[in-house]
């Protein structure tokens, strides 16, 4: 008996004592429990004391051999990356290089696309790409083994998006900005008729099925599709007149633009567009960028487009899809989007007074094919070939070839200016001027042959308005470039009205605006007037009007006044003197007209007041106490800086770009920049960025004598 007890006692003494836990109530109240049952706390509270049970032992994960091997591989790769400058992997050279035969790309590895967080990213570092693959495989192993791990369905919100697109009201909902069901289809059709033929960013058959869903509200479509449709609605409004918008939507064009612009911004910010790298989101951002043309500060828009270029590069759009091993459909859609981005960046760079050489240095994305959307299928596996004959891509092909010309000759505008100055100093037979002109003309002849070749292969005027627009675009570009490169001494006005570079700049400005008016007239009947209006350069027009304050007679002056009437006929927004740019422009035009009247009366003619002068006299504020001074042509342009226009600016005058769509809010103040120092201009009149850009567009020359406030 005693032996049995001793054995049992020894056995009990060798066992691990059971851990006593606090009761349930003490754990809930987070107070110390004496671990007796019932415990003193429960006894005092006169409640039932319930012992707590220990949690089941967690199953210990066994070491994963594959995971350990991959981790060791990552360590080796990182050591190799830290000790070597170039990867050991031989660079793969593309089988077919594009026109951009950059030596940099010949030794560059082709790179790879990696998918993460629902987006795609491009890497051209072999070592880092391999490290990424190993880390991704390690994450997959851990996620497969750990069933309790929950991965969030939504992407992490991007807290940096509002730095670029501005912060919308947190309570604002994109659903409140969505158009009515009938308006969805109408806006979609307008985009297809007016915008899509000139941009070709989207694949219509792939997007069409979402339209029926979109009529039930934006909450029923994917978030990236929501952003894309908002941008499509915005461009449909931009391409419509104010009367058309009022009839279709029930509110004005400006209200519609503000509404759908806010929708695009909200959707993009909620998507976290700075780190959500998918093609649909980028398409929405590019279409939004196109809508900014002619509406916002060109310098800020160019800066914003730099973000678009960087996102595109991060997605690998600067490398051709075939090189990256992508399918024919995705490769072609990436080409269309990349070339549209490059064209947009080159355009904004020129409007901002910068060189196109600031484009990305190395890229080999091929030009898009001559194919209709119906020829592209997401499931296609065979390589795509150009369709013989006309297609809906003709206008874009012409634009892409012009962009190719610009990127291959980044110093073209510098060559023009240098050739002009040398020709004026040395004469047309001077060695430098002759050589420069020969080079310019050869370059332009190459572009003309390329454009003509495209039209002969793929254009048919009977195929529709977009083909007629392509022919018009080709003629417009070549005529404009020919006017610019023609030396002053070879022009009929040389020796009479063209004697200095400033005179030639005046003539070039007249020619450019005459081309604009011709485009307005011809594109108006094709449904593409909106496209031509987007390319109006108000700074060039301000320069021309400023010169009319000085120039009183001559054939160039007569042409300039005809241009002024044409511009005011098509650009009704110039009568909005609450806009600071247009207010200053109105001061100049009324000043110039008073000079014009004096000249006509001196000739014995009775001046007939144009419609735009009468309307400006009605909308401009009057101050009869001011008398007009008559400065001479030799008045230094820096005296403009002494002119204070603030007493004559109407109260409540708007800034040139109201709210700027909160684009780069608080980060760009053009008024604070020293434009005179940047562009070697002596004028210092307080102006907005659009006005100061006129000095760049006209080779650094000032506007002329400032107008007074009497008219």
């Amino acid at each position: 008996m005693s032996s049995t007890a001793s054995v049992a006692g020894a056995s009990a003494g060798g066992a691990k004592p059971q851990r006593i836990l606090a009761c349930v109530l003490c754990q809930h109240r987070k107070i110390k429990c004496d671990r007796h049952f019932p415990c003193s706390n429960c006894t005092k509270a006169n409640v039932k004391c319930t012992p707590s049970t220990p949690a089941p032992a967690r199953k210990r994960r066994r070491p994963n051999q594959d995971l350990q091997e991959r981790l060791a591989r990552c360590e080796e790769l990182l050591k190799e990356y830290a000790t070597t400058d170039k990867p050991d992997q031989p660079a793969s050279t593309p089988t077919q290089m594009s026109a951009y035969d950059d030596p940099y790309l010949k030794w560059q590895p082709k790179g790879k696309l990696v998918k993460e967080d629902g987006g795609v990213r491009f890497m051209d570092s072999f070592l880092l790409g391999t490290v990424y693959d190993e880390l991704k495989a390690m994450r997959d192993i851990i996620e497969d083994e750990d069933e309790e791990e929950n991965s969030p369905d939504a992407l992490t919100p991007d807290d940096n998006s509002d730095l670029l697109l501005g912060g919308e009201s947190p309570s604002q909902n994109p659903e409140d900005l969505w158009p009515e069901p009938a308006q969805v289809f109408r806006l979609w059709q307008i985009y297809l008729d007016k915008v899509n033929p000139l941009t070709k960013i989207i694949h219509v058959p792939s997007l069409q099925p979402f339209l029926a869903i979109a009529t039930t509200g934006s909450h029923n479509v994917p978030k990236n599709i929501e952003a894309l449709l908002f941008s499509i609605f915005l461009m449909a409004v931009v391409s419509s007149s104010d009367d058309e918008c009022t009839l279709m939507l029930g509110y004005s064009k400006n209200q519609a633009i503000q509404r759908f612009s806010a929708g695009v911004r909200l959707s993009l910010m909620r998507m976290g567009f700075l780190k959500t790298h998918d093609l649909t989101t980028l398409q929405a951002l590019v279409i939004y960028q196109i809508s900014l043309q002619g509406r916002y500060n060109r310098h800020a828009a160019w800066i914003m487009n730099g973000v678009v270029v960087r996102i595109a590069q991060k997605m690998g759009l600067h490398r051709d899809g075939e090189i990256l091993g992508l399918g024919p459909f995705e490769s072609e859609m990436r080409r269309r989007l990349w070339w549209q981005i490059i064209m947009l960046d080159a355009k904004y760079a020129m409007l901002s007074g910068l060189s196109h050489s600031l484009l990305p240095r190395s890229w080999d994305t091929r030009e898009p094919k001559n194919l209709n959307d119906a020829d592209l299928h997401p499931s296609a596996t065979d390589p795509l070939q150009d369709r013989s004959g006309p297609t809906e891509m003709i206008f874009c092909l012409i634009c892409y070839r012009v962009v190719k010309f610009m990127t291959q000759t980044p110093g073209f505008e510098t060559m023009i200016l240098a050739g002009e100055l040398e020709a004026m100093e040395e004469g047309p037979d001077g060695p430098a001027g002759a050589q420069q002109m020969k080079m310019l003309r050869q370059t332009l002849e190459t572009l003309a042959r390329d454009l003509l070749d495209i039209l002969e292969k793929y254009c048919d005027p009977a195929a529709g308005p977009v083909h007629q627009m392509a022919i018009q675009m080709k003629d417009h570009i070549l005529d404009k470039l020919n006017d610019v490169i023609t030396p002053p001494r070879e022009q009929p006005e040389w020796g009479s009205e063209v004697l200095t570079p400033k005179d030639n700049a005046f003539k070039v400005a007249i020619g450019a605006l005459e081309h604009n008016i011709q485009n307005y007239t011809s594109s108006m009947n094709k449904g593409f007037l909106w496209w031509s209006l987007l390319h109006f350069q108000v700074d060039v027009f301000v320069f021309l009007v400023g010169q009319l304050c000085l120039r009183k007679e001559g054939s160039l002056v007569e042409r300039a006044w005809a241009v002024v009437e044409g511009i005011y006929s098509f650009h009704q927004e110039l009568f909005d003197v609450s806009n600071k740019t247009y207010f200053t422009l109105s001061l100049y035009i009324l000043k110039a007209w008073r000079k014009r009247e004096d000249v006509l009366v001196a000739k014995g003619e009775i001046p007939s007041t144009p419609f735009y002068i009468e309307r400006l006299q009605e909308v401009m504020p009057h101050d009869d106490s001011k008398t007009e001074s008559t400065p001479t042509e030799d008045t230094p342009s820096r005296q403009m800086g002494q002119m204070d226009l603030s007493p004559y600016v109407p109260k409540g005058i708007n800034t040139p770009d109201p709210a700027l769509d909160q684009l780069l809010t608080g980060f760009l103040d053009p008024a604070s920049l020293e434009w005179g120092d940047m562009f070697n201009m002596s004028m210092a009149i307080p102006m907005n960025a659009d006005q100061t850009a006129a000095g760049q567009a006209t080779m650094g020359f000032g506007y002329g004598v400032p107008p007074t406030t009497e008219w």
Side-chain angles (χ1 to χ4, degrees):
M1 183 74 180
S2 61
S3 62
T4 304
S6 62
V7 171
S11 174
K16 184 177 180 179
Q18 184 178 4
R19 182 184 178 188
I20 301 176
L21 302 177
C23 69
V24 174
L25 181 63
C26 291
Q27 286 184 359
H28 179 71
R29 296 175 60 188
K30 296 182 179 181
I31 59 177
K32 184 175 179 62
C33 181
D34 59 13
R35 301 179 189 272
H36 295 290
F37 299 100
C39 69
S40 58
N41 294 327
C42 292
T43 303
K44 291 180 182 179
N46 196 23
V47 295
K48 182 180 179 180
C49 183
T50 305
S52 59
T53 57
R58 185 174 181 179
K59 183 179 179 180
R60 179 165 298 187
R61 179 181 296 159
R62 296 179 180 179
N64 188 296
Q65 185 66 25
D66 187 22
L67 181 62
Q68 291 180 347
E69 292 176 356
R70 290 182 180 274
L71 184 59
R73 172 63 175 160
C74 281
E75 292 175 352
E76 293 176 1
L77 288 170
L78 290 174
K79 290 179 180 178
E80 182 181 356
Y81 183 76
T83 56
T84 60
D85 295 332
K86 294 183 180 179
D88 295 335
Q89 176 79 0
S92 57
T93 304
T95 57
Q96 178 185 356
M97 295 298 294
S98 69
Y100 310 97
D101 194 10
D102 194 330
Y104 174 77
L105 289 174
K106 291 184 177 180
W107 62 265
Q108 274 287 91
K110 66 180 181 181
K112 66 186 302 181
L113 295 177
V114 294
K115 294 182 178 180
E116 185 179 24
D117 292 337
V120 61
R121 292 178 174 85
F122 174 79
M123 292 184 180
D124 57 10
S125 170
F126 170 74
L127 283 174
L128 291 183
T130 306
V131 169
Y132 172 86
D133 286 341
E134 297 294 335
L135 293 177
K136 183 176 184 300
M138 293 166 63
R139 283 197 299 266
D140 292 341
I141 293 173
I142 295 174
E143 290 173 359
D144 291 341
E145 290 185 351
D146 194 352
E147 297 180 355
E148 297 179 359
E149 183 177 353
N150 296 321
S151 58
D153 296 331
L155 296 174
T156 304
D158 189 356
D159 298 329
N160 300 317
S161 301
D162 59 341
L163 296 179
L164 294 168
L165 291 180
E168 301 294 339
S169 172
S171 61
Q172 199 167 12
N173 192 338
E175 183 72 19
D176 300 333
L177 305 172
W178 201 253
E180 298 295 328
Q183 296 171 352
V184 169
F185 285 111
R186 180 62 182 141
L187 291 168
W188 169 252
Q189 191 60 47
I190 291 176
Y191 182 88
L192 295 185
D193 294 340
K194 295 184 177 182
V195 182
N196 187 58
L198 305 185
T199 56
K200 300 304 297 176
I201 293 176
I202 65 172
H203 185 243
V204 175
S206 299
L207 191 57
Q208 186 86 41
F210 290 100
L211 265 294
I213 304 175
T215 58
T216 62
S218 65
H219 61 281
N220 293 322
V221 297
K223 295 305 178 185
N224 55 353
I225 298 295
E226 177 190 65
L228 179 57
L229 290 179
F230 261 126
S231 67
I232 287 174
F233 299 154
L234 173 60
M235 276 306 305
V237 170
V238 169
S239 64
S240 303
S241 66
D242 191 69
D243 292 340
E244 290 173 337
C245 289
T246 303
L247 182 62
M248 174 177 53
L249 303 174
Y251 41 87
S252 69
K253 179 177 180 177
N254 286 337
Q255 291 175 319
I257 288 176
Q258 293 176 5
R259 175 173 182 156
F260 295 136
S261 293
V264 177
R265 293 193 300 270
L266 275 172
S267 301
L268 289 175
M269 285 189 292
R270 294 191 177 195
M271 282 288 298
F273 76 98
L274 288 181
K275 59 181 182 180
T276 304
H277 303 149
D278 74 277
L279 204 64
T280 303
T281 303
L282 186 58
Q283 287 173 334
L285 188 57
V286 171
I287 295 175
Y288 177 73
Q289 277 292 106
I290 295 175
S291 75
L292 298 180
Q293 295 182 78
R295 297 194 296 119
Y296 294 123
N297 182 284
R298 65 202 64 197
H299 312 292
W302 179 75
I303 293 173
M304 175 66 182
N305 201 68
V307 177
V308 177
V309 174
R310 286 292 178 266
I311 294 175
Q313 287 182 288
K314 195 59 185 174
M315 293 177 59
L317 266 67
H318 64 297
R319 305 305 305 270
D320 194 77
E322 291 185 13
I323 299 174
L324 298 174
L326 300 176
F329 174 79
E330 186 175 358
S331 297
E332 188 64 17
M333 294 309 299
R334 287 164 62 94
R335 290 168 187 157
R336 291 185 178 186
L337 187 56
W338 172 256
W339 279 83
Q340 194 68 226
I341 291 172
I342 292 299
M343 182 172 65
L344 199 60
D345 194 75
K347 187 184 303 180
Y348 274 132
M350 287 190 300
L351 294 178
S352 189
L354 299 170
S355 171
H356 344 299
S357 60
L358 298 177
L359 290 168
R361 183 169 68 94
S362 303
W363 48 281
D364 58 7
T365 306
R366 301 186 181 101
E367 294 178 66
K369 302 289 186 181
N370 180 53
L371 294 170
N372 294 317
D373 280 3
D375 300 324
L376 299 174
H377 303 281
S379 59
T381 56
D382 297 332
L384 300 174
Q385 301 297 330
D386 286 306
R387 172 185 282 268
S388 60
T391 69
E392 57 198 26
M393 280 291 294
I394 181 61
F395 184 85
C396 289
L397 293 179
I398 291 292
C399 294
Y400 297 156
R401 189 56 58 92
V402 174
V403 173
K404 179 179 178 180
F405 165 78
M406 293 166 58
T407 54
Q408 287 180 330
T409 55
F412 187 71
E413 70 283 359
T414 306
M415 294 162 59
I416 293 174
L417 179 58
E420 173 190 311
L421 295 178
E422 290 176 355
M424 282 193 159
E425 293 176 358
E426 303 176 1
D429 299 326
Q435 182 179 3
Q436 199 76 20
M437 282 307 306
K438 182 179 179 181
M439 187 183 305
L440 287 172
R441 284 173 174 155
Q442 288 177 347
T443 306
L444 198 55
E445 287 172 1
T446 302
L447 174 62
R449 286 195 300 269
D450 290 345
L451 296 180
L452 185 59
D453 181 62
I454 293 175
L455 293 178
E456 290 177 348
K457 287 182 178 178
Y458 308 128
C459 183
D460 181 4
V466 68
H467 287 259
Q468 300 167 13
M469 189 74 174
I471 298 174
Q472 173 187 322
M473 175 61 66
K474 172 251 183 187
D475 294 337
H476 168 72
I477 291 173
L478 294 180
D479 290 346
K480 195 169 184 178
L481 289 176
N482 273 315
D483 286 347
V484 171
I485 70 170
T486 302
R489 291 178 178 269
E490 296 182 13
Q491 298 173 9
E493 296 85 2
W494 174 255
S496 58
E497 296 185 72
V498 177
L499 298 172
T500 65
K502 190 172 185 179
D503 297 334
N504 193 54
F506 179 56
K507 180 181 180 297
V508 170
I510 294 173
L513 294 170
E514 285 176 337
H515 283 301
N516 282 8
I517 296 174
Q518 292 173 5
N519 283 341
Y520 299 161
T521 305
S522 58
S523 61
M524 184 167 51
N525 299 327
K526 301 179 180 66
F528 302 129
L529 176 61
W530 69 273
W531 174 268
S532 299
L533 292 175
L534 286 184
H535 296 83
F536 171 62
Q537 292 180 257
V538 67
D539 48 11
V540 176
F541 186 54
V542 172
F543 168 78
L544 180 144
V545 172
Q547 290 297 301
L548 286 177
C549 294
L550 296 174
R551 305 173 188 269
K552 302 177 182 179
E553 296 180 286
S555 60
L556 291 181
V557 170
E558 298 301 324
R559 288 171 57 188
W561 280 108
V563 163
V564 170
E565 183 169 1
I567 292 298
Y568 272 102
S569 298
F570 284 99
H571 291 275
Q572 297 296 310
E573 70 275 10
L574 298 179
F575 294 107
D576 181 15
V577 295
S578 64
N579 183 299
K580 197 172 182 180
T581 301
Y582 305 151
F583 174 79
T584 307
L585 175 63
S586 300
L587 290 178
Y588 281 103
I589 195 65
L590 292 172
K591 159 78 173 183
W593 175 248
R594 288 181 62 86
K595 301 287 187 181
R596 173 78 168 168
E597 281 184 320
D598 295 340
V599 172
L600 294 177
V601 170
K603 290 182 177 180
E605 301 179 15
I606 301 177
S608 176
T609 306
F611 75 95
Y612 56 91
I613 295 295
E614 293 179 346
R615 187 167 174 183
L616 288 176
Q617 289 173 341
E618 292 176 359
V619 298
M620 288 291 286
H622 290 267
D623 189 349
D624 295 332
S625 63
K626 300 295 179 182
T627 59
E628 180 182 0
S629 61
T630 308
T632 64
E633 188 170 346
D634 295 332
T635 302
S637 57
R638 64 174 54 90
Q639 289 182 3
M640 300 174 70
Q642 302 170 3
M643 214 184 143
D644 184 13
L645 296 179
S646 58
Y648 316 120
V649 178
K651 293 183 178 179
I653 192 169
N654 294 334
T655 56
D657 301 311
L660 195 62
D661 253 359
Q662 298 185 356
L663 183 72
L664 296 173
T665 305
F667 295 92
L668 185 65
D669 182 13
S672 65
L673 301 179
E674 295 295 337
W675 298 99
D677 295 338
M678 293 173 64
F679 300 103
N680 194 24
M681 293 155 47
S682 58
M683 45 191 291
I685 185 172
M687 294 181 179
N688 58 37
D690 284 344
Q691 292 167 288
T692 51
Q696 316 164 40
T698 53
M699 306 175 189
F701 302 118
Y703 294 123
V705 178
T708 63
T709 56
E710 173 115 6
W711 43 79

